[in-house]
Amino acid sequence: YPLEADSDRPEHLAVSSDLQQEITANVFSDEMSQALSSLSSDLRLIVLLTDVNDLSYDETAALLNIPLGTVRSRLSRGRNKLKQILLSNQSFQTTYRIRA
């Protein structure tokens, strides 16, 4: 279920990559913005909708017109990828006193 190719999704629900980048740049630290930007758009959108905008899995699935299982698997992959990226970032570890 690729988000970019979903022509059934209404235009007002389409989220451009420029808008996603603007949101992450204004809300998150540089390290987090870079980590989010490195995710594929499918994973980034799910993470932003559920973890930042606090939508439920069901709401996210309905909004994007994708199965609930797809939301769950993308969220899991997105969170794991973010964790890997952030834990490998020395600046992030130093700023937030995290040990890899």
Side-chain angles (χ1 to χ4, degrees):
Y1 295 96
L3 295 177
E4 305 300 330
D6 188 358
S7 60
D8 295 334
R9 189 167 11 127
E11 284 185 35
H12 69 277
L13 295 180
V15 180
S16 72
S17 61
D18 290 339
L19 178 58
Q20 288 181 34
Q21 288 175 352
E22 184 177 332
I23 291 169
T24 58
N26 290 327
V27 174
F28 301 109
S29 67
D30 289 341
E31 294 87 0
M32 182 60 89
S33 293
Q34 289 173 351
L36 282 165
S37 295
S38 71
L39 296 178
S40 68
S41 61
D42 291 352
L43 299 180
R44 182 174 50 248
L45 183 57
I46 299 291
V47 169
L48 289 173
L49 289 174
T50 57
D51 291 342
V52 177
N53 292 318
D54 205 26
L55 267 63
S56 71
Y57 297 174
D58 290 326
E59 291 169 324
T60 301
L63 180 69
L64 299 177
N65 195 29
I66 60 175
L68 181 60
T70 302
V71 170
R72 289 181 175 160
S73 64
R74 288 182 185 172
L75 185 58
S76 177
R77 285 185 291 149
R79 286 174 176 167
N80 286 332
K81 182 74 172 166
L82 280 174
K83 181 179 176 181
Q84 287 176 339
I85 293 166
L86 293 172
L87 289 177
S88 69
N89 182 316
Q90 186 63 41
S91 174
F92 185 83
Q93 289 180 32
T94 303
T95 302
Y96 296 100
R97 296 183 174 99
I98 296 173
R99 293 183 215 160

